[in-house]
Amino acid sequence: MGLLSLGTPLHWNEAKGYADHVRKHGIEQFLHIYNYQKDRQTQQLLWGDEIEYIVVKFNDEEKTTKLSLRAFDILEKLEKPEHDWLVGIEKEPPAALWRPEYGRYMIEGTPGLPYGATFRDLVGVEDNMKLRRKMAHAAMDPDEHAVSLVNYPRLGCPNQLYPDHEPNGPACQSMFVPDQIINPHARFPTLTANIRRRRGSKVQINMPIFHDVNTPKPFIDPTIPWDRDLFKHDKEAKEGAALPDHIYMDAMAFGMGCCCLQITFQACNIDEGRRLYDQLAPVAPLMMALSANSPIYRGYLADVDARWNVISASVDDRTPEERGLKPLKDSKYVINKSRYDSIDSYLSNDSTYKSKYDDIDLVYDQDIYQKLRDSGVDDKLAKHVAHLFIRDPLVIFKELLNVDDSQSSDHFENLQSTNWQTMRFKPPPPNSSIGWRVEFRSMEVQISDFENAAYSVFIVLLTRVILSFGLNFYIPISKVDANMQTAHKRDAVLNEKFYFRKNVFTSRTPTGNAQPNPESVQDEDAYELMTLNEIVNGKENGFPGFVPLIHSYLNSTNIDIETRCKLSSYLSLISKRASGELMTGAAYLRQFVQNHPAYKKDSVVSDEITYDLVKRADQIAKGEYHPKELLGDFNA
Ligand code: ADP
Ligand code: MG
Ligand code: MG
Ligand code: MG
Ligand code: MG
């Protein structure tokens, strides 16, 4: 979750008075980093993945599962090798780093050190992921397991937690989950409560329910305590927050409690980072659809396969004015999106960039923009930062209000790390040897490490192909947004089409050249709706496809046969997911529920089904069960 500082977090009523202070110093801190690091060159690619897990407790006699809220006890053990290394007791760096996440039932693991740029490094990823899973198990009670499902199917249903608690906490005020589900570090309950306070109501999450033959229509959820009268916000559900035919959720945990697979790359310099940011932005929705793995929420089958909109709504702190529901009076802007959403603007000054691609009316702080421009920051980067800074800092620690802006990036990170977008442009931390990085954030975590490695390696190879072939994936950014919504749809891989650029080999002409004729420009920038199969595997007389492009890149390199075979198996998984030959995790989980003998065709994912499903996911991850429809013949 980025920055974790200690101190006394301020209630929203007090925090909002310091918002401008944090923004002002955040910009000073950004400028300090920018001025010192803008010319920085790093030679080699470094990159790393982040995998989040849920901790599940199995009772194999009763055939029940519970979400274990013991992540902090577990993390203490997992983080020890890192601490020992940092203080010099241990000479070798740890094999993995472990971090807390939003949910008290979540852990996040990354490689101990970032991976390098060799093909051997790529082959080591899966082993490291498997090792992490073993380490996690070793730090847990024997009946606990680290499961890489995006979410726990019955999160928010009664009796799902260990230890159990009633849903009556003041921070989230949820009718479904208790505050004990939140990471106990002061930052997280405060973030939760301040989002609600700033917004003026509880967060409101509605995902369409999957209507099966016995699902009532309209579906009015009988499990919502419609008449609860514990908090003033309780009446919201029946006053319209809970939509019919939807799975209603009312707390940040439903979203921020979801597990993602994220990849961070270090670029050679700031310009390459900005270019990768732009080129990967249109890829983000495509990869979400290809990695879709979350068809169940709060005990019901949903009519979507992916999590993004749940998380987006789960942290939507916009005031009614910002959401455009009331005329602007106290708020400064109408804001089109939640803080957790797809990016609104491109970032590169690359010669293939054209301003027409930025067809979303960007909301940004004019004063901050001007300040950045006056300090020598170019238009696009200034707009990017001024856009992040339209948000208020949600958690402010009293003790950390005044810091040395040349030494700290706390205030910058306060805004930066709570703009949770599909892409994140990460400046170097102050006084570090780390370079400019880009994070790819849209993918859903996969059940097995073979899959997680395949998706990670695929993205790394794609970045190499983009850079060495000079590919151009630009389409209007509003079309990227449209793709993001399409990507949620049930079986989007099989049934939907996505906007994608027709000609990705556009020449990179230096600006100032003679104008080509307008018709060929028109043509050159054309995009069309394509299936994921066409985008990944190629289209006859059209786009060659990601996987064939990666193969031709690999053909041009010196790579041993064993490594090539491993990489080919990863590419083949992605290719077969895109063609429909193999199922996505979401399709597999949905089918698992629908084929379960206890399923009543009423969309309900019961305790019994949940036990079998989570157990199955764990068995798949450990190689004890091999579903061919999900993994094919690959050795997972
Ligand atoms: P966050 O949660 O803020 O996204 P994390 O520290 O959890 O960040 O994960 C960052 C990822 O970036 C890890 O996989 C890590 O290995 C990787 N990483 C660390 N240093 C570098 C670097 N210099 N360049 C690229 N990736 C890095
Ligand atoms: Mg995380
Ligand atoms: Mg992280
Ligand atoms: Mg993070
Ligand atoms: Mg991350």
Side-chain angles (χ1 to χ4, degrees):
M1 299 285 301
L3 168 88
L4 286 174
S5 308
L6 292 164
T8 319
L10 300 178
H11 185 287
W12 176 242
N13 289 342
E14 210 181 335
K16 66 184 172 194
Y18 293 107
D20 282 330
H21 171 91
V22 170
R23 272 189 290 263
K24 176 168 178 280
H25 289 277
I27 291 301
E28 292 300 333
Q29 293 169 7
F30 171 77
L31 281 170
H32 203 270
I33 292 170
Y34 177 75
N35 286 324
Y36 277 82
Q37 307 273 11
K38 63 180 188 302
D39 300 321
R40 177 192 201 102
Q41 303 283 335
T42 40
Q43 286 314 313
Q44 61 156 334
L45 168 73
L46 289 175
W47 72 280
D49 67 89
E50 296 166 70
I51 294 184
E52 295 165 346
Y53 312 80
I54 57 175
V55 183
V56 181
K57 200 173 171 68
F58 289 85
N59 184 329
D60 291 329
E61 264 141 51
E62 288 176 16
K63 294 198 180 302
T64 54
T65 46
K66 301 219 185 251
L67 258 188
S68 169
L69 302 185
R70 293 195 333 105
F72 279 77
D73 300 327
I74 295 162
L75 280 164
E76 211 175 283
K77 291 189 198 159
L78 286 172
E79 287 178 90
K80 187 164 184 304
E82 182 186 358
H83 291 153
D84 289 352
W85 178 55
L86 289 173
V87 298
I89 301 176
E90 184 55 64
K91 293 288 167 272
E92 289 296 309
L97 303 182
W98 296 93
R99 295 288 177 265
E101 257 298 337
Y102 181 82
R104 198 184 289 210
Y105 53 83
M106 294 169 88
I107 56 176
E108 179 187 292
T110 67
L113 293 174
Y115 310 113
T118 70
F119 290 117
R120 276 273 137 213
D121 278 293
L122 293 182
V123 174
V125 172
E126 186 180 337
D127 286 343
N128 187 271
M129 289 174 172
K130 285 181 168 151
L131 177 63
R132 272 182 249 167
R133 206 178 281 269
K134 288 207 181 85
M135 292 168 78
H137 283 289
M140 294 175 183
D141 285 345
D143 60 348
E144 286 170 332
H145 300 265
V147 182
S148 52
L149 285 170
V150 173
N151 61 354
Y152 179 72
R154 285 181 65 77
L155 176 64
C157 300
N159 309 316
Q160 302 298 318
L161 306 177
Y162 173 82
D164 209 9
H165 301 272
E166 285 299 305
N168 56 13
C172 69
Q173 304 191 6
S174 170
M175 303 199 291
F176 310 108
V177 292
D179 281 355
Q180 284 85 352
I181 207 157
I182 307 170
N183 179 329
H185 183 293
R187 173 186 150 84
F188 295 91
T190 308
L191 184 59
T192 310
N194 282 355
I195 285 174
R196 191 192 62 252
R197 291 166 183 145
R198 188 181 190 285
R199 177 183 166 91
S201 59
K202 283 195 295 188
V203 293
Q204 185 181 332
I205 310 163
N206 287 284
M207 296 308 270
I209 194 158
F210 171 73
H211 272 284
D212 212 333
V213 288
N214 295 329
T215 312
K217 202 163 191 175
F219 167 76
I220 309 290
D221 190 347
T223 67
I224 297 176
W226 296 96
D227 295 316
R228 192 178 83 164
D229 190 13
L230 190 61
F231 298 108
K232 74 169 183 191
H233 294 298
D234 281 353
K235 57 184 186 307
E236 288 166 9
K238 64 179 169 198
E239 287 178 354
L243 302 179
D245 293 325
H246 285 72
I247 307 161
Y248 168 64
M249 292 162 275
D250 65 347
M252 187 168 165
F254 287 106
M256 280 302 191
C258 288
C259 298
C260 317
L261 170 63
Q262 297 173 337
I263 317 289
T264 296
F265 309 95
Q266 177 169 283
C268 289
N269 54 44
I270 185 170
D271 290 334
E272 187 187 278
R274 293 170 68 169
R275 200 164 135 223
L276 276 178
Y277 179 96
D278 280 13
Q279 295 307 321
L280 288 176
V283 179
L286 312 175
M287 292 313 293
M288 189 170 82
L290 276 171
S291 64
N293 200 19
S294 47
I296 307 167
Y297 299 91
R298 203 165 60 69
Y300 293 111
L301 276 179
D303 205 24
V304 295
D305 277 357
R307 77 202 187 287
W308 192 272
N309 287 345
V310 177
I311 318 186
S312 176
S314 83
V315 290
D316 189 356
D317 71 332
R318 290 172 302 162
T319 64
E321 293 177 24
E322 287 170 339
R323 278 176 278 147
L325 302 174
K326 286 183 186 171
L328 283 181
K329 195 170 118 268
D330 300 317
S331 299
K332 261 169 106 174
Y333 330 89
V334 176
I335 304 178
N336 52 330
K337 285 176 186 168
S338 160
R339 307 169 76 109
Y340 196 113
D341 220 313
S342 48
I343 63 164
D344 277 320
S345 64
Y346 289 116
L347 183 55
S348 182
N349 286 325
D350 184 85
S351 67
T352 59
Y353 168 78
K354 293 177 184 169
S355 59
K356 66 176 178 185
Y357 301 135
D358 273 312
D359 64 342
I360 292 179
D361 204 4
L362 190 72
V363 188
Y364 60 94
D365 185 309
Q366 300 280 348
D367 296 337
I368 288 176
Y369 172 78
Q370 203 51 54
K371 161 86 188 165
L372 290 165
R373 295 291 281 138
D374 293 345
S375 310
V377 180
D378 63 89
D379 172 69
K380 293 219 65 66
L381 183 56
K383 278 194 178 134
H384 169 83
V385 175
H387 172 64
L388 299 180
F389 275 60
I390 58 174
R391 310 291 175 172
D392 278 337
L394 289 166
V395 182
I396 297 178
F397 290 97
K398 211 171 186 158
E399 293 80 358
L400 296 176
L401 269 171
N402 296 304
V403 291
D404 179 349
D405 291 335
S406 69
Q407 301 300 314
S408 169
S409 61
D410 275 15
H411 292 322
F412 172 71
E413 284 295 335
N414 193 328
L415 277 312
Q416 157 95 343
S417 73
T418 54
N419 270 277
W420 299 277
Q421 300 175 343
T422 39
M423 299 298 305
R424 184 178 282 163
F425 185 59
K426 295 175 166 177
N431 307 317
S432 84
S433 60
I434 298 172
W436 294 88
R437 291 152 303 154
V438 172
E439 185 181 20
F440 187 77
R441 300 168 48 84
S442 66
M443 291 195 288
E444 308 230 312
V445 78
Q446 303 294 294
I447 295 171
S448 73
D449 294 318
F450 170 73
E451 296 164 277
N452 283 313
Y455 282 82
S456 304
V457 166
F458 176 80
I459 292 297
V460 177
L461 290 174
L462 189 61
T463 63
R464 298 310 98 188
V465 170
I466 290 168
L467 294 176
S468 43
F469 295 170
L471 300 183
N472 175 352
F473 293 160
Y474 278 122
I475 55 173
I477 203 155
S478 65
K479 295 291 181 280
V480 178
D481 269 4
N483 285 348
M484 199 64 194
Q485 291 315 309
T486 306
H488 282 81
K489 294 194 179 162
R490 176 160 51 87
D491 289 330
V493 173
L494 306 179
N495 304 328
E496 302 297 329
K497 290 192 170 192
F498 294 82
Y499 293 102
F500 197 72
R501 191 178 172 97
K502 279 175 124 166
N503 178 13
V504 300
F505 296 108
T506 43
S507 55
R508 301 156 59 73
T509 45
T511 38
N513 271 10
Q515 290 287 321
N517 87 55
E519 218 152 81
S520 76
V521 168
Q522 191 78 35
D523 202 26
E524 184 181 86
D525 298 334
Y527 54 88
E528 62 183 336
L529 283 165
M530 291 168 65
T531 63
L532 277 171
N533 187 30
E534 289 166 337
I535 298 172
V536 171
N537 294 317
K539 186 178 176 184
E540 217 171 314
N541 302 319
F543 177 56
F546 289 154
V547 167
L549 281 167
I550 293 174
H551 276 300
S552 52
Y553 166 74
L554 291 175
N555 290 344
S556 72
T557 61
N558 212 341
I559 177 172
D560 66 273
I561 292 176
E562 196 193 332
T563 307
R564 180 69 189 255
C565 281
K566 190 81 212 175
L567 299 184
S568 292
S569 72
Y570 295 152
L571 294 173
S572 183
L573 176 80
I574 305 293
S575 165
K576 289 178 174 174
R577 289 267 166 91
S579 71
E581 188 180 328
L582 295 180
M583 290 175 131
T584 61
Y588 178 77
L589 295 173
R590 184 185 298 282
Q591 188 190 62
F592 185 92
V593 172
Q594 291 189 291
N595 289 344
H596 195 285
Y599 180 62
K600 302 200 179 79
K601 298 190 183 341
D602 55 357
S603 317
V604 174
V605 182
S606 63
D607 282 336
E608 187 183 347
I609 300 173
T610 297
Y611 170 82
D612 287 329
L613 183 145
V614 179
K615 190 90 190 169
R616 173 63 61 85
D618 189 49
Q619 288 168 336
I620 294 172
K622 290 184 180 144
E624 296 164 4
Y625 187 90
H626 189 96
K628 277 201 165 209
E629 60 275 39
L630 182 74
L631 301 174
D633 293 323
F634 302 115
N635 200 357

